[in-house]
């Protein structure tokens, strides 16, 4: 199959850069349900624009291209050893060409392989079938939403919902709780795959396999069909909304599968996927290796291309006190204390990326650059080197809560005035923002092309030995837009939404099934 490696490469590129039409349609429908001018509606407009930009630029929709996971059905007698070699070659080429971010990290040393190849990566599941073609499907599920996966062992007590037993109603409570616990940290509005039964390993595998179903398909099991419809309707009453900003749409899809279990075990496993639902598949000729057919429709007619560079704006129709502020880094404490939750900030000037490895390092060491009055961006970009200079190919925010153990101390130690990320942070960071005079700015998760466009230059990089995602990139930005969701006065939109959604969750405590 001389064309097999090229076909897999095309599948990887398309999956990373071009959302299938069923996902686009779900996002478009969500946007129509939000009140015009709200943070949720404007965020969905930014998302829509980002999808278009990724397709046009043939660049990653989201900078976190996740753990490439393949499910491959092969005819009897197919050489799976050679096919795996070709898949690894295609992964390396896609990484080299900046279609994938290098995401394979040694769990003990922290060393990034640089090519997405390593022990356990990528994930490839082979299965035989009695057909002539090769069916190969790929999902790119980022770490932010992967971290919001959750597994329940029934019976148990659930916050806001009480006892969940070993029955369909207990399963219902688990699924509803899984949406609540994700909040906006998994880049809502999201999709969930649910696996009922199995053991701890196969339950999660079943949950992830549900994500390969079409968004608008119908479950052939009447009980599961009813469950899926119930969850999709009622999860959207929690008010979490896009990015956790509050809103009408929190969940875009729910798919449930079931398998047998051990008598002593009853697991409900939930795989949470962000709005950037990147999964595609192809049927490949088993003789030539050429693509015969794309399994998911890639038609982009459903995409609404109506967002502009500064589409993120405050919902002034709801609160006339909210404002849009342009800040030039470095930023003063006076400027920061003038901001409040809901304000939109447009940033120009210097910005520095920092994730897990950098925060751990800065706790014990000095910064290579002056961060006083500066901005830290929780971001692991996709970079390309052109004529010995780095160029940003994708640069959306990562989930900030991972830095909660460090962030407050780092803010005070270095005089940082603004932290940018997604999903919000906790009480320790909020206290530091109030004490020192800082703000947390929520960028739109997954909008990697939208933000890459505002990065005009890469000045330099430190700690490249941490790997491209974890290095400290020194950037010059222009028109970088984000929303104040935690201010210097002790206010947190994230805490407010979590509290109100927990109160709404309690209305689903009584049995339904």
């Amino acid at each position: 199959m001389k064309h097999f490696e090229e076909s897999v490469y095309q599948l990887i590129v398309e999956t990373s850069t071009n959302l299938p039409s069923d996902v686009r349609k779900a996002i478009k429908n969500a946007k129509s349900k939000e009140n015009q001018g709200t943070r949720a509606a404007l965020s969905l407009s930014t998302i829509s624009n980002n999808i278009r930009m990724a397709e046009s630029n043939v660049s990653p929709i989201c900078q976190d291209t996740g753990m490439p996971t393949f499910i491959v059905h092969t005819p009897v007698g197919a050489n799976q050893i050679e096919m795996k070699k070709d898949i690894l070659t295609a992964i390396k080429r896609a990484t080299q060409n900046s279609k994938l971010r290098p995401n394979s990290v040694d769990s003990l040393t922290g060393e990034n392989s640089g090519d997405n190849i390593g022990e356990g990566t990528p994930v490839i599941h082979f299965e035989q079938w009695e057909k002539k073609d090769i069916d190969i499907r790929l999902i790119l599920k980022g770490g932010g939403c992967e971290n919001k996966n959750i597994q329940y062992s029934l019976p148990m007590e659930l916050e806001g919902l009480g006892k969940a037993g070993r029955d369909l109603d207990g399963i219902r409570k688990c699924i509803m709780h899984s949406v609540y616990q994700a909040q906006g940290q998994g880049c809502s509005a999201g999709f969930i795959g649910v696996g009922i039964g199995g053991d701890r390993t196969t339950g999660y595998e079943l949950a992830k396999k549900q994500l390969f179903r079409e968004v608008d398909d119908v479950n052939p099991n009447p009980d599961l069909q009813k469950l899926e419809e119930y969850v999709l309707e009622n999860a959207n009453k929690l008010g979490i909304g896009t990015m956790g900003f509050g809103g009408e749409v929190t969940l875009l899809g729910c798919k449930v599968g079931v398998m047998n279990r051990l008598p002593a075990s009853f697991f409900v496993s939930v795989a949470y996927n962000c709005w950037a639902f990147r999964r595609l598949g192809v049927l490949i000729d088993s003789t030539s290796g050429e693509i015969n057919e794309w399994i998911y429709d890639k038609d982009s007619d459903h995409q609404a291309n109506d967002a502009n560079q500064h589409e993120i704006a405050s919902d002034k129709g709801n609160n006339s006190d909210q404002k849009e502020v342009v800040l030039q880094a470095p930023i003063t404490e006076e400027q920061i204390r003038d901001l409040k939750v809901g304000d939109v900030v447009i940033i120009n000037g210097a910005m520095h990326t920092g994730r897990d490895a950098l925060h751990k390092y800065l706790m014990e060491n000095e910064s290579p650059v002056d961060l006083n009055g500066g901005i830290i961006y929780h971001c692991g970009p996709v970079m390309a080197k052109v004529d010995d200079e780095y160029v940003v190919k994708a640069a959306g925010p990562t989930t900030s809560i991972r830095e909660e153990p460090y962030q407050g101390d780092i803010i005070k130690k270095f005089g940082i005035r603004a932290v940018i990320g997604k999903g919000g942070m906790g009480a320790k960071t909020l206290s530091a923002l109030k004490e020192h005079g800082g703000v947390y700015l929520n960028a739109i998760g997954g909008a990697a092309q939208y933000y890459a466009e505002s990065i005009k230059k890469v000045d330099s990089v430190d700690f490249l030995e941490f790997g491209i995602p974890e290095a400290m990139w020194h950037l010059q930005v222009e028109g970088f837009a984000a929303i104040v969701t935690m201010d210097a006065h002790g206010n947190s939109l994230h805490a407010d939404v979590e509290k109100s959604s927990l109160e709404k969750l309690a209305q689903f405590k009584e049995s339904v099934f």
Side-chain angles (χ1 to χ4, degrees):
M1 295 191 297
K2 65 178 183 178
H3 300 292
F4 182 75
E5 187 270 331
E6 173 61 26
S7 295
V8 175
Y9 177 77
Q10 290 181 32
L11 172 63
I12 295 167
V13 172
E14 284 295 304
T15 306
S16 178
T17 65
N18 190 2
L19 283 188
S21 63
D22 61 333
V23 178
R24 294 173 183 250
K25 183 178 180 180
I27 293 171
K28 182 179 180 181
N29 289 342
K31 185 181 173 186
S32 70
K33 295 176 182 177
E34 295 291 354
N35 296 318
Q36 187 174 4
T38 61
R39 285 185 290 266
L42 294 165
S43 297
L44 285 166
S45 290
T46 301
I47 286 169
S48 298
N49 190 37
N50 185 77
I51 295 170
R52 177 191 62 80
M53 293 171 71
E55 182 181 9
S56 177
N57 298 339
V58 196
S59 288
I61 297 163
C62 174
Q63 77 289 338
D64 186 355
T65 53
M67 174 73 79
T69 301
F70 296 88
I71 297 179
V72 187
H73 285 82
T74 66
V76 175
N79 191 332
Q80 296 179 1
I81 295 174
E82 291 301 318
M83 293 171 67
K84 182 176 181 179
K85 290 179 182 177
D86 283 345
I87 291 172
L88 296 183
T89 300
I91 286 284
K92 288 181 180 179
R93 181 153 66 107
T95 307
Q96 182 180 13
N97 292 341
S98 302
K99 308 304 180 184
L100 295 176
R101 188 179 72 183
N103 274 352
S104 181
V105 178
D106 187 299
S107 297
L108 298 182
T109 67
E111 182 179 355
N112 192 310
S113 70
D115 59 6
N116 274 308
I117 306 299
E119 191 66 36
T121 56
V123 176
I124 307 172
H125 298 289
F126 282 106
E127 298 179 21
Q128 285 191 333
W129 65 354
E130 293 182 337
K131 295 183 181 181
K132 293 182 179 180
D133 285 337
I134 297 166
D135 180 314
I136 179 167
R137 305 189 187 209
L138 169 64
I139 187 168
L140 300 176
K141 187 173 182 293
C145 61
E146 185 72 11
N147 288 347
K148 300 316 295 183
N149 292 357
I150 190 167
Q151 190 172 68
Y152 302 89
S153 179
L154 297 178
M156 66 183 302
E157 291 281 335
L158 293 172
E159 183 182 19
L161 293 168
K163 182 186 292 184
R166 291 184 163 191
D167 53 25
L168 197 59
D169 207 65
I171 294 165
R172 171 191 68 86
K173 288 183 177 181
C174 291
I175 301 173
M176 290 295 291
H177 184 270
S178 75
V179 178
Y180 159 74
Q181 63 86 34
Q183 291 293 305
Q185 294 175 10
C187 283
S188 56
F191 301 81
I192 54 173
V194 181
I196 303 169
D199 60 18
R200 287 198 180 274
T201 300
T202 58
Y204 266 132
E205 287 180 352
L206 178 62
K208 188 166 284 189
K209 281 185 178 180
Q210 301 310 301
L211 296 175
F212 285 97
R213 290 170 51 189
E214 297 273 0
V215 173
D216 56 358
D217 73 2
V218 177
N219 198 312
N221 183 313
D223 289 333
L224 297 186
Q225 177 189 346
K226 183 180 178 182
L227 180 61
E228 290 175 354
E229 292 172 350
Y230 172 92
V231 171
L232 189 58
E233 176 184 354
N234 290 288
N236 286 318
K237 297 176 182 177
L238 295 177
I240 296 168
T242 302
M243 295 297 120
F245 290 162
E248 303 299 318
V249 181
T250 298
L251 193 65
L252 298 172
C254 174
K255 304 297 174 185
V256 185
V258 64
M259 61 170 54
N260 284 12
R261 59 178 177 84
L262 293 169
S265 303
F266 198 122
F267 298 115
V268 179
S269 310
V270 182
Y272 188 97
N273 205 97
C274 59
W275 68 260
F277 188 11
R278 294 157 289 173
R279 57 98 172 92
L280 284 173
V282 288
L283 288 176
I284 292 177
D285 186 279
S286 60
T287 301
S288 67
E290 294 180 313
I291 295 174
N292 284 338
E293 180 184 342
W294 287 88
I295 295 171
Y296 301 93
D297 185 8
K298 298 188 299 163
D299 179 19
S300 61
D301 288 346
H302 293 300
Q303 182 56 46
N305 303 327
D306 55 359
N308 298 313
Q309 176 64 16
H310 297 306
E311 187 71 64
I312 299 175
S314 54
D315 45 346
K316 295 176 182 177
N318 294 344
N319 189 339
S320 60
D321 292 335
Q322 294 170 348
K323 57 185 182 294
E324 183 173 298
V325 179
V326 178
L327 293 178
Q328 178 77 35
I331 309 168
T332 67
E333 180 178 353
E334 182 181 10
Q335 289 174 301
I336 290 299
R337 293 205 181 272
D338 191 45
L339 298 172
K340 65 180 182 179
V341 166
D343 290 342
V344 171
V345 174
I346 309 298
I347 298 171
N348 301 317
M351 184 182 295
H352 313 278
T353 68
R355 289 171 37 119
D356 308 71
L358 180 71
H359 281 73
K360 182 177 184 295
Y361 176 88
L362 292 180
M363 286 293 289
E364 302 171 355
N365 301 276
E366 292 303 311
S367 171
V369 297
D370 184 7
L371 294 176
N372 189 35
I375 303 165
I376 285 287
Y377 183 24
H378 295 162
C379 172
V382 177
M383 290 287 185
K385 206 164 190 179
V386 180
D387 297 328
D388 291 325
E389 291 189 0
Y390 282 105
V391 177
V392 179
K393 303 300 290 185
T398 193
T399 309
S400 296
I401 197 64
R402 300 196 309 273
E403 315 314 333
E404 180 66 12
Y406 311 112
Q407 196 67 73
D409 296 325
I410 297 295
I411 287 170
K412 290 184 278 189
K413 180 178 179 180
F414 295 100
I416 293 166
R417 293 296 175 197
V419 175
I420 305 174
K422 71 175 177 74
M425 303 194 74
K428 183 179 177 182
T429 299
L430 185 62
S431 177
L433 295 175
K434 183 177 181 180
E435 177 187 344
H436 172 70
V439 290
Y440 177 84
L441 304 172
N442 205 118
I444 306 304
Q449 294 303 305
Y450 175 84
Y451 287 112
E453 190 172 84
S454 69
I455 299 172
K456 303 306 179 183
K457 183 184 178 184
V458 178
D459 284 336
S460 60
V461 60
D462 285 298
F463 310 116
L464 199 53
E465 64 270 22
F466 293 167
I468 285 177
E470 298 289 338
M472 187 181 194
W473 298 91
H474 309 297
L475 312 172
Q476 290 293 326
V477 304
E478 184 179 315
F480 189 106
I483 300 172
V484 177
T485 53
M486 297 169 67
D487 63 26
H489 310 289
N491 302 306
S492 170
L493 174 65
H494 309 283
D496 292 345
V497 171
E498 183 173 359
K499 180 180 178 181
S500 66
S501 60
L502 179 60
E503 293 171 352
K504 293 172 182 175
L505 182 68
Q507 69 182 298
F508 304 109
K509 186 175 183 178
E510 299 304 319
S511 297
V512 175
F513 297 114

